[in-house]
Amino acid sequence: MKEVNHQFDVATHFVGILEKDDNMSPGIAAIKTLLMVLEKTKFDTVQEFHSTIQAAVGAMRKTDKPMTSVVSGTELFSRFITLAKFDDKTMDEVREIMLSRGKMFLEKLLESRNVIAKQAITFISEGCRILTHARSRTVREALILAAQNNKRFHVFVTHSSPDHHGEQMVSELENAGIDCTLILDTAVGYVMETVDMVLVGAEGVVESGGIINRIGTVTMAICAREMKKPFYALVESFKFCRLYPLNQRDLPNEYKYNQKNLKDTAKVHPMVDYTPPGYITLLFTDLGILAPSAVSDELIKLYL
C-alpha cells in the first residue's frame, strides 16, 4: 500500500476543515480530505488506491467528529470516482480521471442544501409556527431562504443539551430577521400543540427511511405523531447509508458516541438517536421530496 505524503496528516486536515468552517458537514469535509489524498498520493495500482483511501477513512473515523455522514459520504465518493472505465489507462491518467470525477461529485453535493431549501419553502406558509431541534445547517438555510422570499413565520428552537447548539441556531436565524424562541428540550410537548410543523435535519438516513439525528429527535417525532403534526426531515442524499436498525441499540456505537468514549459507553450520553420511518411525514432531499418508503429504492440507484 502506498503511503500518503508524510507531510499530510489526514486526521488533522479533516478536523482543520471543520474547525475553519462551522457550516461544513463532516461528510463534505471527509470528501474534501479524500480529494486531497488523491492529489498528494501516487498509486501504482487501483488496489493501492483503494487501500490508501480506506486508511484515510480509518484515520478520520478515529477523530471525535460525528461519523454518520463521514461513513456514508466517503462510501459514495469512492464508488462514484471508480465507476469510470480505466482500460488502457496509465495510473497517472486513472488518478486524473478520479480527481476530475471527485471534484464533480463534490460540486454537486455543495448544491444540495440549496436544492433542499427550495423544496422546503413551498411548505412554509405565511404566519406559520415551526419547531426545530438544535442547529441543522440545512434547516437553517431553508428558513433563511423562506425569509428572503418575504415569508413571515415564527421558529421554536430547542436548547439542545448538552452542547446548547440551539443558542447558536437562534442567533443565526435572528440575524436573518426571523422571529425565534429558544425553548428547553423538555418543553417540546408543551410547545408541540401550538406549532404547524416540525423541521429537523439528519446526520444519516437508513434503508428503512428512518433517520439518525441529534439526541432528542425521536422524542420530538413521537410527540409530533401523537399531536398529528407533520414531521419533515431535510437531508442531503450523501447521508443515505446502508444500515437497517430496528431500534436504538442497533445503531453502531461509533455513530452514537465520541471516539474517546467508545471503550466505556455505559454511563455516557449518546450524541444521536434513531427515528423510525413511521414517525416521519416526508424527507426533503436533493433527489426530490421522498416518502420514507422510497429511500431503499434511491439507495439502490446510488450504489448501482
Side-chain angles (χ1 to χ4, degrees), residues 77-123:
F77 172 84
S78 297
R79 184 160 186 77
F80 182 81
I81 66 173
T82 54
L83 284 177
K85 293 183 179 180
F86 300 134
D87 298 341
D88 303 322
K89 297 283 194 303
T90 67
M91 278 311 299
D92 282 340
E93 290 172 330
V94 168
R95 183 166 159 272
E96 287 304 313
I97 292 170
M98 288 181 176
L99 270 171
S100 176
R101 289 182 63 82
K103 290 174 182 177
M104 184 194 316
F105 183 73
L106 177 61
E107 187 175 336
K108 181 181 177 183
L109 296 188
L110 292 174
E111 283 296 312
S112 297
R113 286 183 194 162
N114 187 47
V115 172
I116 294 167
K118 288 178 179 177
Q119 294 171 350
I121 64 171
T122 62
F123 283 68

Side-chain angles (χ1 to χ4, degrees), residues 10-29:
V10 170
T12 300
H13 185 80
F14 169 64
V15 172
I17 291 174
L18 291 171
E19 290 178 348
K20 189 177 298 183
D21 186 354
D22 191 41
N23 291 320
M24 182 75 64
S25 162
I28 295 292

Side-chain angles (χ1 to χ4, degrees), residues 163-176:
D163 53 23
H164 315 310
H165 279 174
E167 294 179 4
Q168 185 178 354
M169 181 72 158
V170 167
S171 176
E172 291 168 345
L173 294 179
E174 287 181 339
N175 287 339

Side-chain angles (χ1 to χ4, degrees), residues 259-303:
Q259 184 71 25
K260 63 184 178 183
N261 294 325
L262 281 177
K263 292 182 180 179
D264 184 11
T265 62
K267 297 182 180 180
V268 179
H269 192 294
M271 300 183 296
V272 300
D273 57 30
Y274 165 61
T275 301
Y279 296 109
I280 301 168
T281 309
L282 290 171
L283 297 155
F284 294 88
T285 80
D286 48 298
L287 302 177
I289 300 174
L290 307 176
S293 59
V295 168
S296 59
D297 290 338
E298 295 300 330
L299 263 169
I300 290 171
K301 293 176 188 176
L302 286 171
Y303 282 95

Side-chain angles (χ1 to χ4, degrees), residues 12-243:
T12 300
H13 185 80
F14 169 64
V15 172
I17 291 174
L18 291 171
E19 290 178 348
K20 189 177 298 183
D21 186 354
D22 191 41
N23 291 320
M24 182 75 64
S25 162
I28 295 292
I31 290 167
K32 286 191 168 188
T33 301
L34 291 187
L35 278 172
M36 187 62 70
V37 171
L38 266 175
E39 289 179 356
K40 290 182 173 290
T41 311
K42 294 284 187 179
F43 307 102
D44 293 329
T45 66
V46 173
Q47 182 58 44
E48 285 181 355
F49 156 76
H50 284 298
S51 298
T52 304
I53 290 297
Q54 287 172 5
V57 173
M60 289 185 279
R61 290 174 78 157
K62 290 179 182 178
T63 68
D64 273 340
K65 300 301 179 181
M67 281 296 110
T68 310
S69 66
V70 170
V71 175
S72 60
T74 53
E75 282 185 3
L76 283 172
F77 172 84
S78 297
R79 184 160 186 77
F80 182 81
I81 66 173
T82 54
L83 284 177
K85 293 183 179 180
F86 300 134
D87 298 341
D88 303 322
K89 297 283 194 303
T90 67
M91 278 311 299
D92 282 340
E93 290 172 330
V94 168
R95 183 166 159 272
E96 287 304 313
I97 292 170
M98 288 181 176
L99 270 171
S100 176
R101 289 182 63 82
K103 290 174 182 177
M104 184 194 316
F105 183 73
L106 177 61
E107 187 175 336
K108 181 181 177 183
L109 296 188
L110 292 174
E111 283 296 312
S112 297
R113 286 183 194 162
N114 187 47
V115 172
I116 294 167
K118 288 178 179 177
Q119 294 171 350
I121 64 171
T122 62
F123 283 68
I124 300 174
S125 57
E126 183 72 18
C128 72
R129 294 157 68 86
I130 300 165
L131 174 62
T132 191
H133 186 37
R135 177 181 180 255
S136 161
R137 303 170 184 90
T138 311
V139 170
R140 182 197 61 201
E141 187 158 327
L143 294 173
I144 290 175
L145 183 62
Q148 290 171 346
N149 280 266
N150 299 316
K151 293 189 177 184
R152 291 175 297 176
F153 49 90
H154 192 93
V155 184
F156 295 90
V157 184
T158 56
H159 205 269
S160 185
S161 180
D163 53 23
H164 315 310
H165 279 174
E167 294 179 4
Q168 185 178 354
M169 181 72 158
V170 167
S171 176
E172 291 168 345
L173 294 179
E174 287 181 339
N175 287 339
I178 299 171
D179 290 331
C180 297
T181 301
L182 184 67
I183 68 170
L184 295 171
D185 295 357
T186 49
V188 165
Y190 180 84
V191 169
M192 187 67 73
E193 64 183 22
T194 72
V195 303
D196 298 295
M197 71 180 75
V198 179
L199 297 181
V200 299
E203 293 190 17
V205 181
V206 300
E207 292 183 54
S208 65
I211 62 172
I212 302 167
N213 195 43
R214 182 170 296 276
I215 191 73
T217 302
V218 67
T219 306
M220 186 177 284
I222 292 169
C223 189
R225 175 71 175 272
E226 183 65 24
M227 295 192 181
K228 297 180 172 55
K229 307 291 184 177
F231 185 94
Y232 302 127
L234 282 61
V235 57
E236 304 97 316
S237 62
F238 74 84
K239 295 180 179 178
F240 284 23
C241 50
R242 292 184 293 183
L243 287 175

